Amino acid sequence: MIANTAAYHFTPVADPDALCATLLERATAAQLRGTILVAGEGINLFLAGAEQAIDGFYTALRADARFPGLRVKTSYSHMQPFARLKAKVKPEIISFRIDDAQPLAYPRAPSIDPATVQRWLRQGHDDAGKPVVMLDTRNTQEIEYGTFQDALVLPITKFTDLPEALAPHREALKDSTVVSFCTGGIRCEKAALWMRNDGMDNVLQLDGGILGYFEAVGGEGYDGRCFVFDERVALDPALQPLVDQDTGAA
């Protein structure tokens, strides 16, 4: 089986080019495929390979003083979902281009764990009795494969479109508890930070995103699958791929 991993971490990186070269060398030696993104604000990784090789890569990365608490989300497939290994240095590890959404400049927005979100959705309100609105920060292509039941979805094709698309809904959201979510947590982390800095103090972020929710509590309250940006296409709440060529599964 192939171990498929997603991980990101916001932390100051003084020399992104050097770190990118190091990670590329290690991933190449471990025969991993996928994408390595490095910026001055941290790293964003999508890597797949043999489980022992994956474990070795992340063990070495966590030995770096900048990444001891790196959280890795893992699922499995028979096929290798990436055609090759790519490593790039970017201005941001996820592009949003808003100063008020920079995680190194502000304290992290409050997060909410999957079990609590599951309970809130089940009971229909948060612990203070306020309505809960799940805010999808992903684009329309992803949302077609699935999202939380009754989630607020926005007509965006890229993450940078979110502020403009959200503007007409802000007044209606002011008396609710808003939980922003995305695939693995990185977009909803920046989105929640920007929203809180922009006056929406009722916003939380779903810790670990959809994949973290699936991993922790399954698919209760979620309709469909979670789109992923590789050849598996999407994962169901059991983290099984929609496409797994070696078995013909679909």
Side-chain angles (χ1 to χ4, degrees):
M1 296 291 286
I2 298 294
N4 307 284
T5 64
Y8 76 92
H9 192 71
F10 290 111
T11 191
V13 176
D15 191 342
D17 290 292
L19 179 59
C20 188
T22 296
L23 296 182
L24 176 60
E25 181 180 4
R26 290 177 186 169
T28 300
Q31 298 183 309
L32 306 182
R33 297 183 193 174
T35 302
I36 297 168
L37 300 178
V38 183
E41 66 179 6
I43 59 173
N44 191 12
L45 308 172
F46 302 92
L47 293 170
E51 187 164 22
Q52 185 174 358
I54 284 283
D55 289 345
F57 177 88
Y58 284 110
T59 296
L61 185 53
R62 288 191 179 105
D64 186 316
R66 294 167 291 187
F67 307 108
L70 181 72
R71 179 178 177 183
V72 181
K73 289 173 285 294
T74 305
S75 60
Y76 297 89
S77 62
H78 291 87
M79 63 178 270
Q80 166 58 262
F82 297 102
R84 59 195 178 97
L85 176 64
K86 298 181 290 184
K88 297 180 180 180
V89 173
K90 296 276 194 177
E92 298 179 78
I93 55 175
I94 182 68
S95 181
F96 200 31
R97 299 197 290 272
I98 295 179
D99 290 342
D100 286 346
Q102 301 309 313
L104 299 187
Y106 300 96
R108 189 174 190 261
S111 62
I112 191 75
D113 63 275
T116 300
V117 171
Q118 178 192 44
R119 179 168 54 81
W120 284 359
L121 294 178
R122 187 181 293 167
Q123 67 193 24
H125 54 78
D126 68 9
D127 292 336
K130 295 175 63 175
V132 174
V133 176
M134 302 298 294
L135 172 62
D136 202 325
T137 64
R138 302 171 303 154
N139 64 46
T140 52
Q141 175 194 6
E142 299 168 80
I143 292 167
E144 288 176 359
Y145 286 86
T147 189
F148 280 95
Q149 295 167 11
D150 301 318
L152 173 57
V153 298
L154 303 172
I156 64 177
T157 58
K158 56 185 183 299
F159 187 40
T160 51
D161 295 337
L162 188 143
E164 182 178 356
L166 181 63
H169 302 277
R170 291 180 59 148
E171 180 66 22
L173 294 173
K174 68 179 184 178
D175 295 322
S176 300
T177 293
V178 178
V179 179
S180 71
F181 68 92
C182 59
T183 305
I186 186 171
R187 281 176 287 182
C188 52
E189 181 159 345
K190 282 199 171 184
L193 183 58
W194 162 70
M195 284 185 278
R196 292 185 71 90
N197 283 337
D198 202 46
M200 295 180 66
D201 60 1
N202 58 330
V203 176
L204 306 171
Q205 57 185 309
L206 175 58
D207 193 29
I210 299 167
L211 296 182
Y213 186 87
F214 285 174
E215 187 176 42
V217 301
E220 183 177 350
Y222 191 95
D223 286 332
R225 300 172 183 263
C226 179
F227 181 86
V228 290
F229 291 92
D230 60 57
E231 294 180 12
R232 296 170 297 163
V233 181
L235 303 182
D236 68 15
L239 299 177
Q240 296 301 304
L242 177 62
V243 176
D244 200 353
Q245 293 175 348
D246 288 353
T247 63

